[in-house]
Amino acid sequence: MTTSTSPESAFGNLTEESVRYSRSSQFRSTSELFIRDNPYHRPMNPERIAGIDWSTPLVEETFASDRSLLANRLLMNVYESDALFLPAAGLRKFEDDFNAFYHSDSRLAGERIRPQAERFAFGFLEDSVGVSGQWDEDTLRAHLRRSVDLANSPGSRPVFDAIRSAKSPRTAAGTQIVQMALDGLTEATAMSQNLGGAFGPEQSELFKIFVDEFGYGVFPAKHSTLFMELCSSVDMATTSHHYWFFYLPSSIAINNYFYWATRNRTGFFRYIGAMAFLEATFASWFGDLTKVFRDVYGKDVDTRYCDEHAHIDQHHGRMAIDDLLIPLARKHGPVAVKGLLQGVEEIQLLDRLAGADLLSQLTWDPALSDAPAEGPTGEVVELDSDSPFDTQVAPVATRLHVLGGEALLYTSATGDPLRVPQGTSVLVPAGRLYGVRAESRTQLATGPEA
């Protein structure tokens, strides 16, 4: 006799399991803005996670929502428990968190959550990116070339324009670097999960790209090392997830997409399609990013990370298409072609959504206003210097009223906060990431804008 689990029961179990998982010691709250030197401490808020409606999966319109932020933080922790992190300063101070992060009970709990959480986070891609019609290696190559040319066309970098024209270009450029840190400090980790097994000459072609990413075994040439040097040159932190609270949900989601595609082996072809598209566009993208960083930071910025990609990805783009993607399509037929094309289209969609999310964050300039005469509406909370810090995405236009004391509104990791004194308020637009902190006892009312 077999039994089945109803959808309602399954989602109830997911809520229960995800809350239990988020209560693990390594995910504890902190009053600090940054996670210093400890790659295992990744705060998650069990109360907010308990409020996720898992029965309503994300769609394009909610891709950059607070639900997306919470679900993707959770998924990233599940995925990265498969990767080895060791603190640069040594493990002595962090042994308990190390053991908790990699403990079999925690990892098993994560695996119970993962399949349904993945459907919640990425299920919309099947509807948003439909692949139909007859495709072969020639039509796939032609379509990929058109997509790459479009991505590299003039005017295709609005985020770069926004960085240059920002009130504080350094803060804006720092926000870009924070989003890049998700992959930059662990580059090619997802790729490494596809290196095992046996799948012919294409396996060796993928390994060539991987070896380049790892600097051919020379640590100073490793791409993640070059990224650390970029960060150091502009006085930014170089340790994994130092800027945990300031990742946008769309940035985490794109990073998670590659783990999702590699952890689920039937996603191999979509992974190759997405990876090949990025490799074919990165040379131009990073070449332009070097110019942005030079304009913003001047001659002292270390752009070797960008310069290396602008150089090597000319070759990686060719290798990924001619020596990997096309041979896989030729050898494995329609199932491969469909998956490869799906990956090409999915990463373009995710990139557009993430670009729009980052652009909106960069161009949001919060300003003070007088609190309404009729008084505060919404939830009233008390904050002080020891209150847990967190960031969230406003689900609707949200008014923050300071009733007593002074609140600090954070919208980026590298800029100064906006001081919101007693008797004033600030409007947070729907979809924007923010965090609030207080240096002394502060009373804050939060509610939707009328």
Side-chain angles (χ1 to χ4, degrees):
M1 176 176 171
T2 60
T3 60
S4 60
T5 303
S6 69
E8 293 79 7
S9 174
F11 291 124
N13 290 340
L14 180 56
T15 297
E16 182 181 330
E17 293 281 2
S18 60
V19 169
R20 183 183 297 115
Y21 178 71
S22 68
R23 292 190 187 280
S24 299
S25 61
Q26 69 272 28
F27 305 136
R28 65 193 178 277
S29 63
T30 178
S31 61
E32 298 296 323
L33 293 173
F34 306 112
I35 308 302
R36 302 182 188 280
D37 303 321
N38 185 346
Y40 319 112
H41 184 195
R42 299 146 179 252
M44 293 197 293
N45 187 316
E47 287 72 29
R48 289 173 63 203
I49 287 175
I52 299 176
D53 179 6
W54 295 102
S55 68
T56 306
L58 299 178
V59 293
E60 289 186 38
E61 291 74 20
T62 55
F63 179 70
S65 65
D66 197 56
R67 294 193 304 142
S68 177
L69 177 67
L70 295 171
N72 276 293
R73 281 177 176 173
L74 187 152
L75 271 174
M76 179 168 63
N77 288 334
V78 173
Y79 292 139
E80 289 196 344
S81 67
D82 269 351
L84 180 62
F85 292 82
L86 291 174
L91 194 58
R92 291 178 183 83
K93 293 192 301 181
F94 309 116
E95 288 183 24
D96 288 344
D97 283 343
F98 170 78
N99 289 326
F101 188 68
Y102 292 117
H103 195 281
S104 58
D105 289 346
S106 178
R107 296 186 67 192
L108 180 59
E111 281 303 303
R112 287 196 297 266
I113 295 165
R114 181 176 65 84
Q116 286 180 300
E118 288 174 333
R119 285 192 287 274
F120 174 85
F122 298 113
F124 76 95
L125 290 174
E126 292 290 345
D127 295 325
S128 295
V129 180
V131 176
S132 60
Q134 298 296 316
W135 293 85
D136 57 25
E137 62 180 272
D138 292 330
T139 54
L140 175 62
R141 184 195 292 272
H143 179 75
L144 181 54
R145 178 48 55 197
R146 287 193 298 271
S147 298
V148 169
D149 289 344
L150 181 62
N152 291 336
S153 62
S156 61
R157 315 265 196 261
V159 165
F160 293 176
D161 296 335
I163 292 173
R164 286 191 171 99
S165 61
K167 184 164 66 175
S168 172
R170 281 179 171 255
T171 298
T175 299
Q176 171 74 74
I177 291 173
V178 167
Q179 310 314 309
M180 294 168 61
L182 272 160
D183 176 67
L185 292 172
T186 56
E187 196 153 329
T189 298
M191 182 184 292
S192 69
Q193 297 187 30
N194 275 327
L195 296 178
F199 50 96
E202 295 78 26
Q203 186 175 20
S204 296
E205 296 300 329
L206 182 62
F207 189 73
K208 289 177 186 176
I209 297 174
F210 176 81
V211 168
D212 279 342
E213 305 281 358
F214 270 66
Y216 276 80
V218 179
F219 185 72
K222 188 172 181 277
H223 286 185
S224 58
T225 305
L226 298 178
F227 186 80
M228 292 168 63
E229 296 296 334
L230 166 65
C231 293
S232 294
S233 73
V234 296
D235 298 321
M236 291 183 64
T238 62
T239 53
S240 296
H241 302 317
H242 178 95
Y243 299 110
W244 170 263
F245 291 117
F246 296 95
Y247 299 143
L248 295 176
S250 57
S251 300
I252 308 175
I254 285 188
N255 201 52
N256 282 347
Y257 170 83
F258 286 98
Y259 284 105
W260 170 59
T262 53
R263 284 289 298 272
N264 298 279
R265 291 303 184 188
T266 55
F268 171 72
F269 296 115
R270 76 200 311 161
Y271 168 82
I272 295 297
M275 182 272 292
F277 174 81
L278 290 184
E279 295 289 351
T281 57
F282 271 169
S284 174
W285 192 87
F286 276 105
D288 288 346
L289 186 59
T290 290
K291 297 172 186 176
V292 173
F293 286 161
R294 290 288 183 201
D295 290 345
V296 171
Y297 294 114
K299 61 181 178 62
D300 293 331
V301 62
D302 186 339
T303 63
R304 287 179 299 157
Y305 176 77
C306 303
D307 300 338
E308 169 65 8
H309 282 81
H311 162 68
I312 198 64
D313 284 338
Q314 297 180 57
H315 305 291
H316 284 179
R318 175 189 53 76
M319 294 161 63
I321 294 172
D322 294 340
D323 302 331
L324 188 54
L325 183 145
I326 295 301
L328 286 171
R330 183 181 302 130
K331 180 184 293 184
H332 299 289
V335 66
V337 172
K338 182 180 184 297
L340 295 164
L341 182 60
Q342 188 84 14
V344 171
E345 296 303 294
E346 286 174 349
I347 197 59
Q348 289 183 86
L349 172 62
L350 295 179
D351 187 57
R352 286 196 298 272
L353 295 173
D357 188 23
L358 178 54
L359 184 62
S360 294
Q361 192 74 20
L362 292 175
T363 54
W364 171 36
D365 185 10
L368 295 178
S369 61
D370 291 334
E374 64 270 18
T377 60
E379 180 185 9
V380 177
V381 296
E382 298 276 352
L383 300 173
D384 59 31
S385 59
D386 293 326
S387 297
F389 181 75
D390 201 359
T391 49
Q392 58 187 303
V393 175
V396 296
T398 301
R399 179 71 63 177
L400 308 179
H401 308 277
V402 177
L403 307 179
E406 181 180 63
L408 304 178
L409 176 70
Y410 287 87
T411 63
S412 71
T414 56
D416 293 328
L418 177 68
R419 291 187 173 270
V420 189
Q422 179 177 338
T424 60
S425 68
V426 62
L427 178 66
V428 180
R432 290 304 95 231
L433 181 86
Y434 71 99
V436 179
R437 199 163 183 254
E439 295 173 335
S440 59
R441 187 167 297 280
T442 296
Q443 192 176 47
L444 180 72
T446 306
E449 177 74 344

